[in-house]
Amino acid sequence: MLTFRGLHVLTFRGLDALAFRGLLVLAIRGLHVLAFCGLHVLSFRGLHVLVFRGLHVLVFTRLHALSFRGLDVLAFRGLHVLTFNGLHVLTFRGLDVLAFRGLHALPFRGLHVHAFRGLHVLTFRGLHVLTFRGLDVLAFRGLHALAF
């Protein structure tokens, strides 16, 4: 172990450690850790984690996750998920889903579905369907139908 003016260094059987004025660095058998003024970083065999003042980031092969002040984001092989203050968004191979305080929207390959407080709307290649509290409306290529 070496100590010089606040610097501490230790190497022992594969363990390497360094400490200096709030900075801590540690390495042992593929695990690397760094800590400095509220920043914490960990790396081990493809897993990487970062934590700093409410920000959390995780990366593991193709999985990426982030969390910060109510915002949560996840990405994995084409799947993306986002949540923030009641807003939820999901995207996956052309499928997009949105939900926010009672509003739900789903557009997918020409199909669009929307729902909000009892109102439901569906559109698909010229077909339009609307339902609301017992009222049903259908429109398709000049044909219009209403049921009440």
Side-chain angles (χ1 to χ4, degrees), residues 66-117:
L66 178 142
S67 179
F68 184 67
R69 296 185 181 172
L71 170 66
D72 300 307
V73 180
L74 181 134
F76 181 69
R77 294 186 178 182
L79 169 67
H80 299 84
V81 180
L82 179 144
T83 64
F84 182 68
N85 287 345
L87 170 66
H88 304 276
V89 179
L90 181 143
T91 64
F92 184 68
R93 296 183 181 170
L95 170 65
D96 302 314
V97 180
L98 180 140
F100 182 67
R101 296 184 183 169
L103 169 65
H104 298 79
L106 187 151
F108 182 66
R109 297 184 181 169
L111 169 67
H112 299 272
V113 180
H114 304 278
F116 183 67
R117 295 185 181 169

